[in-house]
Each structure stands twice: as C-alpha cells, then as structure tokens.
Amino acid sequence: MRHDNGGGLLAAHLKSLGVDTVFGIVSVHNLPLVEAVEADPELRFVPVRHEASAVNAADAHGRARGSIGCALTSTGTGAGNAAGSLIEALSSGTAVLHITGQVESAHLGSGRGFIHETKDQLGMLAAVSTYAATVTSARDAGRVLREASAAALAAPGGPASVEWPIDLQYAVQEDDGESAPASGAPVPDASALAGARDLLASARRPLIWAGGGATTARDQLLALLEATGAGLLTSNSGRGSVPEDHEQVVGNFATTPAARALLADADVLVTVGTHFRSNETADYGLRLPEAHIQIDVDAAALGRVYPARHALHGDAGAVLPPLTEAAVRADADWTDRVRRVREEVRAALHDGIGPQAAICDALAAALPRGAVVARDVTIPSSAWGNRLLPIHDPRANVFPRGGGIGQGLAMGIGAALARPDEPTVVIAGDGGLAVHLGELLTLAQERPRLTLIVFNDGGYGVLRNMQATYTERRSGVDLFTPDFARLAAAGSLPYARIGDASEAAKVIDAA
C-alpha cells in the first residue's frame, strides 16, 4: 500500500488497531504525523501540555478500553520527558504505542548537536520500553509499527517505542503490509498442572490471590472462585477481576490482621498473575501458605518473590479451567469465615478514615457501576481509594502502579476520553497535581466528562507523615499551594469546595 507520507501510514495503522484518540505534543520533528492524525475524521488528536502526560493519557486510554493507547512526542528532550511515564507503562504491563520523532537520517548519530538531537535516544527508549526500534527507510516503517504494536499487546505487555527520522516521515511510504509474527502462548508443564490439580482437589480451606494478570481471565477466575468457595484476595492491580461486591471477595486487604489469619490457616493458595509488590506484602514480610500454586504468563515471575510448589507458566484464561475442573467445594465454615473477614476489614477501614469516609461513600453512590476512578499517589488513595472504594471492572481501576506521583490527572483525561458516555473521577493531592499543573489547560480545552477531586494538605502529606515518625524536622514537604478557586476560574472550570463531611454527598453529586 502506498501513502503520501508517514502520517498517512500511521493513521491507517492506528485505525487498524481500533485506536481513535492520540495524545501528544506537536513538534518540527513529528509535524507530518500530528497533521495526519488531526486531519483524519476517524481520529482525534489531544494536545496535552507535557510529553509525560501524553504517555500517561495514552496508557489510561488503553486501560479504560482494554486495548492499546498511542502517544506522539518530539525527539531529544521530548522523548526524554516521556521516559518517566514509559516506566509506569512498563511497570504495569500496559500497551502503549509511543512514536517519537528523530533528526534527519543523514545526521542520525553524528553528535553534531543538531536541534533536538540526543545521545543514543534508542538506548534510552530501550531501557524504558518492552520494544524499541528506529525506522530506517520509508519501506520499513509499516513493518516497524506492526512489530511495535504486537510487542506492546503481547503478554506480559508494556510500551513500545518507535523513533522516526523526520525526512522519512515526509517521504512517500511503500508498505507491503506483512504482518508481525505472532508469538504462541506458553503452555504449562503437564506434570506441574497435574500436581496443581491434585493439590487443589485436596483443599478444604483454599484462597485465591488475583493480580493484574487475572484481569483478562475474569470469567474463568469467577468460575474457580465459585466452584471452590474460596476467598479472593487481590493486589491493587487485580481489583475488579471479580466485582468487589461479590461476597467472597476480600480484596486488597492481604496485610490486615484478619487476612493474615486467613493466609495462615489456608491449606492451598492459588495466585494468578501477581508480582507481589513490596507495598502489598509488607515489604515481602507477609507469609504465604507453603501449598502455593502460582500462575503467570511471565516465566520470570514464577517463584521470584515466594516459592511455588506448582509453578504454571501460561495464560490465566487457559490455565484456570483445568484447575476448576479438579476443584472441590471448601468447608462451609471456611467460606462463612471468608464472608465475615470481607465485612470486617471493610468496616474497620471505613471507621478508621474518619470524615473522609463520607467522600468514599458519596463517590460509590454517585458513580455508575464500572465508572473509572483514576487515583494519583496521595494519602486518600493509599488510605482508602485503593482498597475501600469499590471497583467492579478492572478497566475502571486506573492508577500509577509504579508509584510515581503526579500522573493521575493525565491518566484521568485519557480514561475520560475513552469513555465519553460516563463520568470519570480523578483523586489527586495538591502536591501531585502540581507536577503537571498544565494539564488543567488540557482539561479546560478538551472538556472531558471528568471530576477532579483535589485533597489539599499543603504539600506532600505521605512524606510529611513519614518524617513525623522519626523527627520533628520537615524537609521539602511543605509547599506553596495556589488558590484553586481562582485557578479553576482562569480555565473556565466549575469549582466547588468540600469543607465538612456533611457537604460531601451534595457537592460530589452536583459535580
């Protein structure tokens, strides 16, 4: 197929992936790409204010749709600005196609200081991407785009970065349309699977732990849960794999005393696609049952944190059904205990967060089932947003899994534009919001159906609390905070304030 320039090729490729929105910043080194996307009636170009935000928004747009997102950035500093958010996508295994410009191919690697040139840009991108490549000819570009997209979408997933010299963007593209080779799904060892089936068949007090790898096997996970009568713990990433109003879902509460007691008494634990992150295992101090069946599509994850008696290398959707076939029903008193623990941990947290429980309750009541709540790294998120605020669909569970502050607003914008028919909420702190305050202008310009809730404690509250534990001195945690009412007015954004718990429901409903 022939295209007048690289922009036409990119637009056609994006539409073949089902992408309808692209986030980025225009530059002299990506102009034909941006122009083609913006001109195509089936595509929308969203001009964010920072390259990191472009990747965050594309990341969340893909998460909210269960597909792939696309970000366009400039070369050099622009690509460098995107790197932090590529780390987030790599950490979370989310599919992002990142296209960055590059200097003219004749000057590539010359080190002459050509404008926007940087040393070993491809090496930088390779360090923060699951795939990175350079377009080396106008005949090569289509193949590179398809390879990159396939790599981003293949388990365990992650961002794919393509650098594209500007002269080759302007060139006529001759694309042979050859598909990228498909990688086969791994199949677990037959003896390991047989051993896991036998172990599960002997279980009377089973537990399941679902991570992000379980979100693509929701029906199969639910079938196992209901066949066994087990309790379901989740990581933060695994929330919503089974709707959190299911009576056997304990949720993201593994380190609570009641859940620890369940783990201590369980006779079998099945873990599905979880990385056992430090903040979800008390820095790996959480004890798991020795009778551990671990399922993961990433071979490197098997046994990496906790030993597994039966390590099953495969896709959860394919591995769970044969386990379910072998499962037997748990003791009735065990399933009853799971239900009690589920209620106990939620009630204890609800009571423990004081007045902010009114905000959590108001959000749960006001939002449609499955609506996105994008949560930046802030005290309300870590205290209750990541555990107590109910998640019923994993595509609604948008947060920076790598723990980097300041990504929430751009993620919320991306998610809101992915789901224009329902409201999206962003939970952010004043410190995190300040990292990319310019995205308020994107919010004002694009007008997504988004409510931004800013918890204002005048700085970095999480770190302030940590410092208070060890010293009376405060270092770098107290920040100047703008007048948010005037800031909103400057962007013609509606503004309201919650000053008391009694105001939460009325203000959030109106917003």
Side-chain angles (χ1 to χ4, degrees):
M1 185 174 293
R2 179 185 174 92
H3 299 275
D4 290 341
N5 59 38
L9 171 63
L10 177 62
H13 176 68
L14 293 176
K15 289 186 289 186
S16 76
L17 294 171
V19 172
D20 61 10
T21 305
V22 177
F23 303 86
I25 293 181
V26 67
S27 158
V28 296
H29 282 124
N30 67 16
L31 196 57
L33 306 181
V34 172
E35 288 175 342
V37 169
E38 201 276 332
D40 194 304
E42 298 178 49
L43 296 173
R44 177 178 184 174
F45 179 72
V46 178
V48 296
R49 272 48 179 188
H50 194 279
E51 291 87 355
S53 298
V55 176
N56 284 143
D59 181 340
H61 193 270
R63 293 190 204 188
R65 299 180 73 198
S67 60
I68 188 170
C70 181
L72 292 179
T73 70
S74 182
T75 189
T77 304
N81 285 344
S85 296
L86 290 170
I87 291 173
E88 164 56 30
L90 186 65
S91 175
S92 63
T94 50
V96 176
L97 177 61
H98 169 228
I99 311 295
T100 183
Q102 184 52 284
V103 302
E104 283 85 344
S105 51
H107 303 299
L108 192 59
S110 66
R112 296 177 180 178
F114 200 90
I115 187 170
H116 293 179
E117 182 187 10
T118 188
K119 178 183 177 182
D120 192 15
Q121 176 171 286
L122 185 62
M124 175 187 70
L125 295 173
V128 294
S129 306
T130 196
Y131 171 101
T134 305
V135 173
T136 56
S137 74
R139 189 175 292 276
D140 190 45
R143 177 190 60 79
V144 172
L145 291 175
R146 286 186 291 275
E147 283 186 359
S149 302
L153 288 164
S161 293
V162 174
E163 59 171 13
W164 201 339
I166 185 62
D167 58 314
L168 299 181
Q169 292 178 41
Y170 278 113
V172 173
Q173 309 290 309
E174 298 285 350
D175 181 23
D176 62 13
E178 183 179 351
S179 299
S183 56
V187 177
D189 177 78
S191 61
L193 181 59
R197 284 168 54 91
D198 290 344
L199 179 59
L200 189 60
S202 71
R204 295 298 177 268
R205 299 183 306 281
L207 286 177
I208 304 168
W209 182 318
T215 60
T216 58
R218 298 163 64 188
D219 292 342
Q220 297 89 337
L221 179 63
L222 178 61
L224 178 64
L225 185 68
E226 296 191 335
T228 58
L232 180 66
L233 299 169
T234 72
S235 69
N236 203 0
S237 299
R239 296 185 65 201
S241 300
V242 174
E244 290 189 336
D245 53 1
H246 191 289
E247 63 180 3
Q248 291 166 239
V249 176
V250 178
N252 187 24
F253 288 90
T255 57
T256 62
R260 285 175 184 258
L262 275 181
L263 284 164
D265 292 339
D267 57 3
V268 173
L269 174 67
V270 180
T271 63
V272 186
T274 183
H275 288 175
F276 300 111
R277 297 179 189 274
S278 60
N279 57 328
E280 295 166 343
T281 59
D283 289 336
Y284 316 116
L286 188 68
R287 297 189 64 180
L288 301 190
E290 292 183 4
H292 175 201
I293 300 167
Q294 184 178 8
I295 303 167
D296 209 292
V297 75
D298 182 2
L302 295 168
R304 180 168 54 196
V305 179
Y306 289 98
R309 184 173 298 179
H310 300 291
L312 305 180
H313 181 210
D315 177 76
V319 177
L320 287 172
L323 290 181
T324 302
E325 292 170 2
V328 297
R329 190 76 184 172
D331 291 342
D333 58 352
W334 177 254
T335 305
D336 288 342
R337 180 179 169 187
V338 165
R339 296 186 187 106
R340 292 195 302 273
V341 169
R342 165 192 162 76
E343 299 303 322
E344 176 185 334
V345 295
R346 282 168 169 74
L349 181 54
H350 191 275
D351 292 344
I353 59 177
Q356 287 195 15
I359 298 177
C360 182
D361 293 344
L363 285 172
L367 286 172
R369 186 179 179 85
V372 172
V373 180
R375 308 179 303 282
D376 202 355
V377 178
T378 188
I379 289 177
S381 295
S382 58
W384 52 266
N386 293 341
R387 294 186 287 167
L388 188 61
L389 187 68
I391 299 291
H392 303 308
D393 181 342
R395 294 170 300 178
N397 186 29
V398 174
F399 69 98
R401 297 176 191 177
I405 194 171
Q407 302 177 88
L409 178 54
M411 284 184 156
I413 291 171
L417 293 175
R419 297 185 175 195
D421 296 329
E422 62 188 38
T424 291
V425 167
V426 172
I427 293 176
D430 58 298
L433 185 64
V435 175
H436 289 302
L437 200 60
E439 300 314 325
L440 287 175
L441 304 180
T442 306
L443 192 65
Q445 178 170 313
E446 299 299 318
R447 313 300 292 187
R449 193 174 172 187
L450 184 149
T451 297
L452 169 63
I453 303 179
V454 183
F455 292 82
N456 180 8
D457 62 1
Y460 300 133
V462 174
L463 295 171
R464 183 186 292 142
N465 291 344
M466 291 175 66
Q467 288 182 2
T469 303
Y470 301 106
T471 178
E472 295 181 359
R473 183 181 180 86
R474 290 187 177 181
S475 302
V477 295
D478 297 320
L479 304 175
F480 175 83
T481 300
D483 182 329
F484 284 107
R486 295 171 66 188
L487 197 62
S492 301
L493 295 169
Y495 169 86
R497 183 175 184 273
I498 299 172
D500 184 84
S502 63
E503 302 170 1
K506 181 179 179 181
V507 171
I508 286 172
D509 281 346

